[in-house]
Amino acid sequence: MIRLTLSEIADRLSGVLHLEGTDATPGTTVDGPVETDSREIVPGGIFVAKRGDDTDGHLFVGAAVERGAALAIVEHPVSDSIAQILVPDAVVALGELARFVVERVRASGDLTVIGITGSNGKTTTKNMLERILSGEDETVAPIRSFNNAVGAPTTMLRISESTRYLIVEMGASGIGHISKLVAMAKPDIGVVLKVGLAHAGGFGGIESTLQAKTEMVKDLDENAVAILNADDSRVASMAEKTRARVVMFGQEDTASVRATDVAGTRTGTSFTAHVPGEEPVRITLRVLGEHHVSNALAAIAAASTLGVPLARSARALETLERAERWRMEVLGGKDDVTIINDAYNASPDSMSAAIKTLAQISEPGKRTIAVLGAMSELGEFAGDEHDRIGLQLVRLNISRLVVVGPEARRMHISAINEGSWDGESVYFGDMDAAYDYLAAEIIPGDTVLVKSSNSAGLRFLGDRLGALYSW
């Protein structure tokens, strides 16, 4: 974090500064990393004692002190000997501190903020854009999928006076969440990838999801840029709801940043990228899946808006070895067995895209195996969406289906009821049983997709299979 005095922070947070039992004064400065997990504190760090569903951060202030914390932001005084700022709500205070730091750096430096949202693809697009921009100038981007009311401001607080680009993932599980993050960061560029049924149980349906994702662009000012997916009609409609200049990306002819001649294999995905005023460039991503072409186009569009030539963006993208841990991560290789571990997250759209990729990259005469777990947070839509995936697997001629866990069993039943399979779909209640089956079932040349929501835990099954077939 940038250097601030304790009194500056307390004033901005409308908090009460407690310095009893410490050597600190209101003029004492702090500039260490801001954390909500005491285990991540480093000497000079700032600990935000937020309350959680399972525990209370105030119980860990002592642990933060032991690790060298210089300041604690708390909702009630604690007995530990550390400078404290007392606030009504620690999470709200974290957001306000992030807003303060972004404002300060923007006023004194040359900071550009890029916000990214969408039902799918945020983390992959963030990683792609970070890879491009970090080769241009100092860039700060989220760790993993830090995109909520805690993760996003924590990312913002990592900037310094010399940061040129700040990339912020903006996730939401309800109306108004993205608006709050936009108000904190005030993006110069707002990227919207897709409107789908991820977290539909919290939103209450696709129209509510559209409303929430539109929050990314509706408050941008006229000097900002809204980068929108031309291939998603709901996202494209946001052009009418923003004052910002609009740049469209996609494979549709209406997109100014376009991809043509898309081709996928087990080793990557290729396409020709087109940007107005530049020569087309053929790009080969190491990341699997045609759906990641859309993410790459979004990153290219943002970078182009910032003046990065297409050729440089292309070179940077081709160095990205994987989207993220457990996201279309290619493992294995022994006996020509490919394990695709994509079990960090799953929505109906991302599940469908992963299955299409599995079908597209299979080689003639070789088998495809889909190992699938539940898609979480779908609420009333869960049954129908699991049914739809089961039908899709049959219609795409996936060779084997292995369904794991009771919440995903409807995929197995739907595949069987489709009527064209006889024994190609199996169900297991737990991962160990599924692993034992797969260890005996997989043969040389197989391509195996492991896909589920994070809560289903199949990423660990994917890792076990990857280790089994690693060289």
Side-chain angles (χ1 to χ4, degrees):
M1 191 185 76
I2 64 173
R3 185 176 296 275
L4 296 170
T5 67
L6 295 179
S7 62
E8 283 180 311
I9 298 173
D11 289 346
R12 180 59 183 244
L13 303 185
S14 299
V16 179
L17 186 59
H18 290 260
L19 301 176
E20 295 81 0
T22 73
D23 296 329
T25 70
T28 297
T29 59
V30 291
D31 61 357
V34 180
E35 304 288 353
T36 60
D37 186 338
S38 62
R39 295 168 296 185
E40 301 295 327
I41 288 291
V42 299
I46 299 169
F47 179 59
V48 180
K50 74 178 186 70
R51 300 177 190 272
D53 294 333
D54 301 317
T55 189
D56 184 344
H58 295 79
L59 301 174
F60 300 95
V61 174
V65 172
E66 290 178 2
R67 295 184 66 87
L71 171 65
I73 297 174
V74 296
E75 295 176 4
H76 60 75
V78 295
S79 59
D80 303 275
S81 180
I82 183 174
Q84 303 168 42
I85 296 177
L86 179 63
V87 296
D89 187 310
V91 173
V92 172
L94 176 67
E96 188 57 31
L97 181 58
R99 187 200 303 250
F100 183 34
V101 167
V102 170
E103 287 176 359
R104 180 71 65 90
V105 173
R106 196 192 293 272
S108 62
D110 192 21
L111 180 68
T112 297
V113 180
I114 305 101
I116 301 172
T117 195
S119 298
N120 309 111
K122 293 185 293 296
T123 299
T124 301
T125 304
K126 172 263 296 184
N127 288 340
M128 289 177 166
L129 185 57
E130 180 186 17
R131 182 60 58 94
I132 296 170
L133 295 183
S134 62
E136 302 294 320
D137 210 328
E138 182 179 321
T139 301
V140 170
I143 300 168
R144 298 187 294 278
S145 297
F146 281 19
N147 61 28
N148 61 12
V150 174
T154 300
T155 298
M156 298 177 208
L157 288 165
R158 289 173 43 223
I159 64 176
S160 69
E161 287 86 351
S162 58
T163 299
R164 178 69 179 87
Y165 302 113
L166 168 62
I167 304 169
V168 185
E169 273 191 60
M170 297 186 178
S173 55
I175 303 296
H177 295 179
I178 292 174
S179 282
K180 291 179 181 178
L181 299 178
V182 169
M184 284 181 209
K186 298 192 181 305
D188 302 285
I189 299 172
V191 181
V192 186
L193 302 169
K194 191 171 184 61
V195 173
L197 280 174
H199 311 294
F203 284 114
I206 195 71
E207 292 307 316
S208 294
T209 305
L210 171 59
Q211 181 182 344
K213 299 305 181 184
T214 303
E215 293 169 8
M216 169 61 80
V217 298
K218 71 179 180 61
D219 291 331
L220 297 178
D221 67 32
E222 60 274 11
N223 296 318
V225 180
I227 295 179
L228 304 177
N229 185 355
D231 299 339
D232 184 317
S233 60
R234 293 186 177 90
V235 176
S237 73
M238 295 179 190
E240 301 172 357
K241 300 177 176 66
T242 183
R243 296 171 294 172
R245 177 168 67 88
V246 173
V247 174
M248 292 283 190
F249 67 91
Q251 296 184 49
E252 292 288 335
D253 291 340
T254 55
S256 57
V257 177
R258 291 191 304 118
T260 58
D261 303 319
V262 178
T265 69
R266 289 200 293 178
T267 59
T269 309
S270 298
F271 65 99
T272 300
H274 303 260
V275 171
E278 300 192 56
E279 288 295 317
V281 175
R282 189 70 182 170
I283 300 174
T284 299
L285 303 174
R286 302 190 202 184
V287 182
L288 299 187
E290 183 176 333
H291 54 294
H292 287 309
V293 172
S294 180
N295 300 329
L297 290 175
I300 290 168
S304 177
T305 298
L306 295 168
V308 181
L310 174 58
R312 287 216 298 265
S313 291
R315 287 197 297 270
L317 289 173
E318 291 186 327
T319 68
L320 194 68
E321 295 182 354
R322 64 184 182 188
E324 180 83 358
R325 182 80 166 98
W326 299 311
R327 296 176 191 265
M328 297 301 283
E329 183 177 13
V330 179
L331 306 171
K334 187 174 70 174
D335 297 332
D336 194 31
V337 172
T338 299
I339 309 294
I340 304 170
N341 194 353
D342 192 32
Y344 185 82
N345 219 333
S347 68
D349 287 331
S350 68
M351 183 76 84
S352 179
I355 294 166
K356 288 178 183 176
T357 297
L358 177 63
Q360 288 167 350
I361 67 175
S362 63
E363 298 177 3
K366 302 291 181 68
R367 298 194 313 173
T368 52
I369 301 176
V371 184
L372 306 182
M375 300 177 287
S376 63
E377 300 183 56
L378 293 178
E380 64 182 286
F381 305 99
D384 288 344
E385 292 303 320
H386 283 88
D387 287 344
R388 186 172 66 83
I389 294 299
L391 299 179
Q392 180 187 20
L393 287 153
V394 177
R395 292 166 184 170
L396 288 177
N397 294 315
I398 302 302
S399 306
R400 294 285 188 277
L401 169 61
V402 180
V403 177
V404 185
E407 293 181 345
R409 192 167 183 268
R410 281 187 65 159
M411 281 190 285
H412 169 62
I413 299 300
S414 296
I416 292 173
N417 289 342
E418 180 69 356
S420 58
W421 276 10
D422 181 17
E424 291 91 344
S425 180
V426 294
Y427 167 77
F428 298 99
D430 62 78
M431 284 188 286
D432 288 338
Y435 174 82
D436 292 341
Y437 168 82
L438 288 161
E441 173 69 18
I442 293 172
I443 61 175
D446 282 352
T447 301
V448 183
L449 168 70
V450 183
K451 179 75 172 170
S452 75
S453 284
N454 198 19
S455 59
L458 263 60
R459 61 195 184 281
F460 304 117
L461 174 60
D463 283 345
R464 290 177 69 186
L465 293 172
L468 184 63
Y469 289 98
S470 65
W471 290 103

